Amino acid sequence: MAKLDFIDWPADRTLSLSGSAASLKIPVALRNATDGAIQVSDVSLAEVRLGAAGKPLRLAPIPVQMTVAANGTAQAKIRLRLDPATPPGRYQGEIKLGGVSRPVEIEVVERTELAIQPAPLVVDAALGPEQRFAVAFENRGNTPLTIDLTGDYPLGEEVPLAPDRIARPADGVERLGQIFKDVIGLGAAPVLTQIGTVGLFMPSGPVRLEPGAIRTEQIAMALPKELSPVARHHVFVPVYATDLHIVIVTAAKRPPTAKVTRRKQGTAE
């Protein structure tokens, strides 16, 4: 009998599992038939490949810390520690640990995740109705993405005195909910009124973004000529499951045409 052997996993049975590259784990149970403890320090997936002669699922051994006591057993769930950009598909071969091996079939599912910076992108309308800015795109998934922002998108003007933003007494439950939102970074969503559209154009055309790649692209934007200089405006450009959020403000404002009369504190109207 071998020093180590799998429990309930005979050599002629293939273990099948599927999931995203970051979440895959293999459950193992080992029996030690010797009178001394055995330390398992790594697991190999080098012979698990995409197709008959495809790329290995992982070349470097997976470090583990697993001790099987003398004449004892041990169980563990081994995280495969795959690169998030591992291509989707069915990988087949043998997993090896502690001098023994078993057949496996691992299905890596497709995962689409895109990060956009800056978030949000702040634009000063005072610089003119036609502007260019740089946006960085990072493909954090495992499938290629096409980035093409050309089009006309709804332009929303923020309503500054929305009912949920008017100060009012709050009971304990409402206050606790607001504290929770502040802690996890969930600010109140702005109330918007659509007042037109904003045109976006990519001078370099659509781009292909490979898994794990980061690319910065120039974006041209055409704003409406008449925007309220005292309002804040928002554009949400859908890109896969996320948005390029553009916030438009007017930093330098013209003096008001009407004279502003300030009432002294404590005087009646």
Side-chain angles (χ1 to χ4, degrees):
M1 180 181 291
K3 294 181 179 180
L4 281 180
D5 200 5
F6 286 94
I7 302 173
D8 298 329
W9 189 358
D12 60 352
R13 182 168 68 86
T14 299
L15 176 67
S16 298
L17 65 154
S18 66
S20 64
S23 66
L24 284 168
K25 296 179 181 179
I26 291 183
V28 296
L30 296 174
R31 178 184 292 111
N32 179 4
T34 71
D35 294 331
I38 297 178
Q39 177 74 35
V40 179
S41 59
D42 60 64
V43 178
S44 174
L45 295 172
E47 299 304 320
V48 181
R49 298 177 178 273
L50 181 62
K55 183 179 179 181
L57 183 59
R58 176 186 166 113
L59 276 174
I62 303 169
V64 296
Q65 292 183 350
M66 188 176 182
T67 301
V68 189
N71 298 301
T73 62
Q75 298 181 359
K77 284 188 176 181
I78 300 174
R79 187 164 66 91
L80 301 190
R81 304 175 184 266
L82 300 181
D83 186 335
T86 299
R90 181 169 298 175
Y91 294 76
Q92 297 173 308
E94 287 190 338
I95 180 175
K96 298 180 179 180
L97 72 159
V100 291
S101 60
R102 286 293 186 272
V104 292
E105 183 176 273
I106 301 173
E107 186 82 26
V108 177
V109 300
E110 182 176 304
R111 178 170 168 268
T112 301
E113 183 178 351
L114 179 68
I116 301 176
Q117 292 293 336
L121 170 68
V122 180
V123 175
D124 184 2
L127 299 180
E130 296 186 1
Q131 299 188 32
R132 287 196 179 195
F133 46 84
V135 177
F137 302 91
E138 180 183 2
N139 186 350
R140 296 180 177 177
N142 64 351
T143 186
L145 303 177
T146 298
I147 308 299
D148 185 4
L149 307 187
T150 299
D152 295 322
Y153 299 91
L155 173 65
E157 183 173 279
E158 189 171 329
V159 180
L161 293 180
D164 64 339
R165 300 180 69 174
I166 299 176
R168 65 182 188 278
D171 59 26
V173 175
E174 289 180 339
R175 180 59 183 156
L176 184 60
Q178 186 58 50
I179 292 174
F180 176 74
K181 289 181 179 180
D182 291 343
V183 169
I184 64 176
L186 289 179
V191 179
L192 304 177
T193 299
Q194 183 174 346
I195 62 169
T197 61
V198 164
L200 297 184
F201 173 69
M202 297 182 65
S204 61
V207 298
R208 179 183 172 92
L209 194 63
E210 297 296 333
I214 302 175
R215 184 162 176 169
T216 300
E217 290 295 321
Q218 290 291 316
I219 310 296
M221 180 177 63
L223 292 171
K225 293 183 179 179
E226 296 298 330
L227 286 180
S228 171
V230 296
R232 185 162 50 219
H233 302 83
H234 298 260
V235 180
F236 294 91
V237 181
V239 193
Y240 290 91
T242 189
D243 295 295
L244 168 61
H245 181 193
I246 305 173
V247 178
I248 304 167
V249 297
T250 303
K253 304 172 180 64
R254 293 190 297 251
T257 55
K259 184 178 180 181
V260 177
T261 302
R262 296 186 178 180
R263 178 166 56 90
K264 293 183 179 180
Q265 187 175 2
T267 61
E269 295 249 343

